Amino acid sequence: MVNKLLVYLLFLVAAASCGKSVEEEAKEAAGLTKLSLEYSKKLDLDSSEMTFLQAKEIMDRYKLKEDSIKFESLYKKYLDENLTTEKQ
């Protein structure tokens, strides 16, 4: 039963990531990280954790893969862009 559920969840994650480019996923992860920080500032720690875990799920897909360097570079770019825009 647990194995079937795990396979189903992995299938959903794989299906959700199909068709998205590395750039789109990096941008989404950066946006989720920024949102997580906003929740933290408002002391909404449950929402902050949930949102960060969504971002981490995306980031984990690129660990030890060919696109990891490209993903990390784009993630940092979009995170910096989002944070710079926020400060202005």
Side-chain angles (χ1 to χ4, degrees):
M1 178 71 174
V2 173
N3 287 339
K4 287 182 181 179
L5 181 61
L6 183 60
V7 169
Y8 179 72
L9 288 174
L10 288 174
F11 176 76
L12 285 177
V13 169
S17 67
C18 288
K20 286 191 175 183
S21 70
V22 175
E23 186 167 0
E24 289 172 325
E25 291 207 307
K27 190 173 189 174
E28 182 180 355
L32 288 167
T33 301
K34 180 180 177 250
L35 184 58
S36 176
L37 292 171
E38 289 299 316
Y39 282 134
S40 292
K41 287 179 188 175
K42 296 176 183 176
L43 298 177
D44 186 354
L45 301 181
D46 290 333
S47 296
S48 176
E49 180 183 23
M50 187 177 13
T51 307
F52 178 74
L53 291 175
Q54 290 174 339
K56 187 177 180 315
E57 183 180 314
I58 296 169
M59 291 183 266
D60 287 346
R61 286 186 220 144
Y62 287 92
K63 285 190 176 180
L64 306 174
K65 288 192 175 180
E66 289 178 21
D67 293 335
S68 64
I69 294 172
K70 181 179 180 181
F71 177 85
E72 289 175 21
S73 174
L74 289 167
Y75 172 79
K76 289 176 185 175
K77 171 189 162 191
Y78 286 117
L79 188 62
D80 288 345
E81 222 173 67
N82 288 339
L83 293 175
T84 304
T85 305
E86 171 84 9
K87 290 178 183 177
Q88 294 176 354

